Amino acid sequence: MMYRLTPAARAALTFVGLLAALHGREARAQDAAPAVELPATVVIGTTPLPGLGTPLENVPANVQWIRGKTIDAQHPLNLTDYFEANLDSVSLNSSQGNPYQPDVNYRGFTASPLLGTPQGLSVFQDGVRINESFGDVVNWDLLPPSAIRSVLVVPGSNPLFGLNTLGGALAITTRSGRDSPGGSVAVSGGSFGRRTLEFTQGGRLDKVDYFVTLNDTADNGWADHNASRVKQAFGKLGYADADTTANLSVTAADNALHGAQTIPRSFLDNFRQAYTFPDRNLNRATFFNLNGSHFFNEQVELSVNAYYRKFFNENVSSNVNGEFGSVDPDTGSVNQVQANNARSIVEQDSYGLGLQLTLLGHVASMDNQFVVGASGDFANARFSQYGQDALFTPQRDAVGLGGFALRTDAKTHNSNAGVFVTDTLSLTDQLAVTASARYHHAQTTLADQTGNQPLLNGSHTFSRLNPALGITYNPSPGVTAYANYSEGMRAPTAIELACADPAAPCSLPNDFIADPALRPVLSKTVEAGVRGQFGTASSWRAAVFRTDLDNDIAFISSNTATAATGFFQNVGKTRRQGIELSLATHAGPVGVTASYSYIDATYRTSFIESSRSNSSADANGNITVRPGNRIPGVARHTVKMRLDYNVTPQWEIGTNLVYHSAVFARGDENNQDAHGQIGAYAMLDVDTTWHVTKRLDVFARVNNVFDRRYANFGTLARNVFTGPGHTFGGGNAVSEQFVGVGAPRGIWVGLRYAWR
């Protein structure tokens, strides 16, 4: 019996490297490839779970795909540094003052490790969403970079990725013994006392394979009080035969991260100093993931996964007492407490499973790929917060007065269930249509454990059917034009639901109180673009996009002496729209990649917010945000360029140039504050590798080559340290622009020894 292969089936059979990178299908492709002599086809995984994927020529979006080996070649300090230097429309905010805890911004949406930051991006590891269920945050420090085989960036409100995907999704695929045989050990060290040790080992024995990697990094920090200790481990055991693959992986981390916060501009005489301290995060996680797939025949594949994840976070933060100097109306006493230390603990257990069925066939003689799936993600978390009165030393160390007292103790339960379907129909050899939809049901339950806040108890439910429709047209080989429309939903997090009352502002990390319910955020994205190739050495991409949000949620600062208090509020409509242009070429020993991104992120609905430190605020400390005002923290213009040069067959040099235009500070949502914007900046980094032998490499990296002073984040607040030498000034606080200062020049060198 003769079977005519569909384009998707040809891709699954002939494309070996990329398909394996995305979904672990290398063994099957290697068995099948010799039987069919067809040109290689790039296949993109367009669903969270492993599957056949979709040929890039049929993907109606400006996706970006990165190989782990490409990341390794640049020797970045961490994964997010690589994102900022190389990915279109990506920037970082140093709001926490620690290199392992940046806010990652993509197309004006954020994936942040900071509780309370409105999140708009979803991050997946081997098909499992790793945004924490409590707060939807992303802890970039938990996965060792040496475990990453590929990263796929999917833009827009793609409903297939569900679970609060507004601006895009990042899908990380990990290595296995089949795709990464052999091992290596690497050591490096240099500026700021940073020293690293990395070990990898992978292998294969017939149908069984294994991979393990261990990372240990110690860093004294480039600023005062922002040291880090990062210990990460990853292991995977796999099985593969002609029809079935299965993998069991374990990810573990035990990290201590200290932050330097933002500092007032008046502190820039010493940009390394901290505003207050201590501020530290302890992150511990253990993540078990079991996934597999089975081909019943050439037309039917079933993929499954199940996971369990345990996460623990302890945060200690020093804060200015916003009530200092206030008079108690009952006693007449004056509040003389200078500081508050907050200690919060998150203990979280999450688990879930997913199923996905892929069917290849024909509809009215047209090639068709149909995928249907379901997923369930559940989590139990306990959040407790303790407060301690404190006194500032002349060095602004918040020294506790007495012990910590319990302020908040709450349990939360998150339940997310979804059913999705997507179908790609090839109307002709050049024209394909993809229709998708996902029904998503989210429920968040909060329960007070102190007995003092019974109004906190409650259950919040959100559900919606989100559709998507895309079309691709390939007028000639190597050229694809596309357009798509998609919708998504973000359910408010427990943090947001419990801190939504302007009359009772919360601190971050949050106190829990009984607050009005928030409405879910709805997103609608339109995108169109074209991509192509010039021969085999050059490629290019161009895209335009617009994402409109209804009921967007923002953190509104309160009228206190610190910018870390406020409340969450639905602020109506917002918009992110822009242009992306990219070109890559290679000629002989020289490779060049260049990109330009324009992002216009604005409010579309007028609202009033408290911003006491904004110079344009009225007598009550309020400002009016109007349609067209720009959203803080989002640069309009970003330019990136990467140059690779093979000086000799054994010596490689690479440079990254990044430029970001000016941004507004948080608290300046009306764009009227007299301090103006956080200035534009450009950065140049250099990396190099010398292959001493086939097994031994010497490498080096220089960040911020010209040692530029810059800031990539800002917020408006009251500076209370107006005394001599920046000591506590009592009631003489002044409004200032606080900035997140970027790291100075750093130089690191290392050795890597590899074996097969």
Side-chain angles (χ1 to χ4, degrees):
M1 179 178 179
M2 181 175 292
Y3 173 71
R4 186 168 71 88
L5 295 175
T6 67
R10 289 200 304 269
L13 292 170
T14 61
F15 182 73
V16 178
L18 182 55
L19 183 58
L22 294 175
H23 297 308
R25 301 247 53 90
E26 184 175 35
R28 181 174 179 84
Q30 287 175 334
D31 293 337
V36 183
E37 296 295 334
L38 294 171
T41 302
V42 176
V43 174
I44 296 296
T46 54
T47 57
L49 285 179
L52 287 175
T54 302
L56 181 58
E57 63 190 32
N58 290 341
V59 176
N62 190 25
V63 295
Q64 301 177 70
W65 182 76
I66 318 150
R67 294 198 311 163
K69 291 182 178 179
T70 303
I71 299 174
D72 294 343
Q74 295 187 22
H75 313 294
L77 299 186
N78 50 56
L79 181 63
T80 56
D81 279 356
Y82 178 89
F83 288 170
E84 181 178 43
N86 296 273
L87 290 182
D88 298 354
S89 300
V90 170
S91 63
L92 302 185
N93 288 342
S94 301
S95 59
Q96 290 291 88
N98 185 283
Y100 294 93
Q101 291 184 295
D103 294 345
V104 175
N105 302 309
Y106 171 60
R107 288 190 173 184
F109 294 90
T110 302
S112 169
L114 180 62
L115 276 175
T117 301
Q119 309 285 339
L121 304 174
S122 292
V123 182
F124 291 80
Q125 178 183 331
D126 291 332
V128 175
R129 189 173 185 270
I130 58 175
N131 297 65
E132 307 297 346
S133 66
F134 188 80
D136 214 34
V137 300
V138 179
N139 290 292
W140 300 102
D141 58 295
L142 298 181
L143 176 66
S146 54
I148 296 174
R149 175 133 200 240
S150 68
V151 180
L152 176 68
V153 182
V154 182
S157 311
N158 191 318
L160 297 180
F161 289 89
L163 293 173
N164 305 343
T165 302
L166 299 180
L170 284 76
I172 298 171
T173 301
T174 59
R175 288 172 169 158
S176 70
R178 290 182 176 271
D179 55 55
S180 301
S184 67
V185 61
V187 294
S188 66
S191 298
F192 323 133
R194 191 176 197 270
R195 51 212 182 271
T196 66
L197 172 64
E198 174 188 294
F199 170 81
T200 66
Q201 176 63 52
R204 172 181 176 180
L205 181 61
D206 193 21
K207 298 179 180 180
V208 178
D209 63 273
Y210 71 94
F211 179 82
V212 63
T213 182
L214 306 171
N215 288 358
D216 191 349
T217 300
D219 190 333
N220 295 335
W222 65 267
D224 298 336
H225 314 293
N226 77 332
S228 304
R229 183 62 188 269
V230 177
K231 294 180 285 186
Q232 306 160 321
F234 174 81
K236 180 185 288 186
L237 182 65
Y239 169 87
D241 60 27
D243 298 309
T244 303
T245 64
N247 293 285
L248 174 64
S249 65
V250 180
T251 306
D254 185 359
N255 304 332
L257 311 174
H258 296 256
Q261 304 178 331
T262 57
I263 61 174
R265 285 197 173 273
S266 60
F267 279 41
L268 292 179
D269 55 332
N270 175 12
F271 68 93
R272 298 176 188 267
Q273 64 185 310
Y275 185 62
T276 66
F277 66 95
D279 288 277
R280 71 171 184 269
N281 263 299
L282 303 180
N283 281 338
R284 302 189 188 101
T286 306
F287 172 31
F288 297 91
N289 185 20
L290 176 64
N291 61 59
S293 62
H294 177 74
F295 280 87
F296 293 96
N297 54 50
E298 291 181 319
Q299 298 173 282
V300 181
E301 182 197 28
L302 177 67
S303 302
V304 299
N305 82 334
Y307 71 91
Y308 170 75
R309 194 166 187 267
K310 189 173 186 64
F311 173 69
F312 173 87
N313 169 264
E314 180 182 8
N315 173 274
V316 175
S317 58
S318 55
N319 303 301
V320 174
N321 178 22
E323 302 301 321
F324 177 84
S326 64
V327 179
D328 189 307
D330 297 324
T331 65
S333 61
V334 179
N335 190 325
Q336 294 295 320
V337 177
Q338 298 177 358
N340 301 123
N341 288 330
R343 177 174 177 258
S344 61
I345 296 175
V346 177
E347 299 175 277
Q348 175 185 291
D349 292 277
S350 55
Y351 51 94
L353 51 86
L355 298 170
Q356 179 177 296
L357 184 66
T358 303
L359 304 173
L360 303 177
H362 300 86
V363 174
S365 76
M366 295 178 289
D367 295 332
N368 190 72
Q369 180 176 352
F370 177 80
V371 181
V372 61
S375 64
D377 298 272
F378 312 94
N380 296 307
R382 184 159 189 167
F383 174 85
S384 55
Q385 186 181 62
Y386 304 81
Q388 177 192 54
D389 291 340
L391 178 72
F392 287 116
T393 68
Q395 294 75 35
R396 299 183 300 281
D397 181 4
V399 178
L401 302 173
F404 281 91
L406 180 66
R407 292 180 178 174
T408 301
D409 189 5
K411 287 184 177 181
T412 66
H413 176 74
N414 288 84
S415 175
N416 290 280
V419 179
F420 64 88
V421 60
T422 180
D423 187 86
T424 299
L425 179 65
S426 298
L427 301 176
T428 69
D429 291 340
Q430 291 79 35
L431 187 65
V433 175
T434 300
S436 308
R438 180 188 184 99
Y439 177 77
H440 185 69
H441 179 86
Q443 184 175 40
T444 299
T445 302
L446 295 87
D448 172 51
Q449 301 300 296
T450 66
N452 300 323
Q453 296 174 308
L455 294 179
L456 180 64
N457 300 326
S459 181
H460 306 263
T461 301
F462 310 92
S463 60
R464 192 172 191 267
L465 177 66
N466 297 308
L469 181 66
I471 186 170
T472 58
Y473 176 61
N474 299 277
S476 62
V479 176
T480 299
Y482 64 86
N484 75 70
Y485 172 81
S486 58
E487 295 185 5
M489 180 189 75
R490 181 171 87 81
T493 66
I495 285 284
E496 294 165 337
L497 291 167
C499 183
D501 189 348
C506 308
S507 63
L508 292 177
N510 294 93
D511 302 299
F512 272 17
I513 55 180
D515 286 330
L518 295 171
R519 297 184 296 276
V521 183
L522 306 179
S523 64
K524 299 178 181 179
T525 297
V526 177
E527 180 179 344
V530 61
R531 56 177 171 259
Q533 293 182 324
F534 299 119
T536 59
S538 303
S539 62
W540 53 273
R541 293 179 287 119
V544 295
F545 65 90
R546 171 181 289 181
T547 299
D548 287 321
L549 300 188
D550 288 332
N551 305 324
D552 201 359
I553 296 174
F555 182 72
I556 307 300
S557 298
S558 60
N559 287 326
T560 66
T562 171
T565 60
F567 60 96
F568 294 95
Q569 175 180 305
N570 288 114
V571 295
K573 299 179 182 295
T574 61
R575 173 178 292 168
R576 285 85 167 165
Q577 62 184 357
I579 301 171
E580 295 171 337
L581 305 173
S582 180
L583 174 67
T585 188
H586 189 88
V590 179
V592 179
T593 301
S595 68
Y596 167 74
S597 302
Y598 171 81
I599 302 173
D600 182 39
T602 58
Y603 298 99
R604 312 306 299 174
T605 301
S606 181
F607 63 94
I608 296 175
E609 71 166 352
S610 299
S611 186
R612 179 184 180 187
S613 297
N614 190 312
S615 62
S616 66
D618 62 19
N620 296 317
N622 295 326
I623 63 173
T624 300
V625 182
R626 304 185 186 281
N629 287 149
R630 288 170 55 188
I631 297 174
V634 182
R636 269 191 170 172
H637 305 279
T638 297
V639 178
K640 301 182 181 182
M641 179 174 291
R642 169 74 183 180
L643 174 66
D644 290 292
Y645 178 50
N646 292 336
V647 183
T648 71
Q650 290 77 38
W651 183 21
E652 305 158 0
I653 296 179
T655 63
N656 284 99
L657 174 66
V658 176
Y659 166 82
H660 293 294
S661 63
V663 300
F664 286 99
R666 291 182 185 173
D668 191 18
E669 283 75 14
N670 67 341
N671 307 162
Q672 296 295 316
D673 181 66
H675 296 97
Q677 301 182 59
I678 313 299
Y681 66 93
M683 287 270 294
L684 181 69
D685 302 334
V686 175
D687 58 84
T688 184
T689 302
W690 177 32
H691 305 288
V692 181
T693 69
K694 290 184 177 181
R695 295 185 176 183
L696 179 63
D697 290 344
V698 177
F699 58 89
R701 181 175 180 88
V702 183
N703 279 5
N704 194 358
V705 171
F706 298 109
D707 201 23
R708 295 288 304 275
R709 297 281 79 78
Y710 70 98
N712 57 19
F713 176 80
T715 188
L716 302 180
R718 303 274 287 174
N719 175 19
V720 302
F721 297 103
T722 55
H726 302 309
T727 55
F728 187 74
N732 299 317
V734 296
S735 296
E736 287 198 51
Q737 186 185 81
F738 286 54
V739 294
V741 180
R745 179 171 51 227
I747 304 173
W748 299 270
V749 296
L751 296 172
R752 182 186 301 274
Y753 184 79
W755 59 87
R756 297 286 292 183

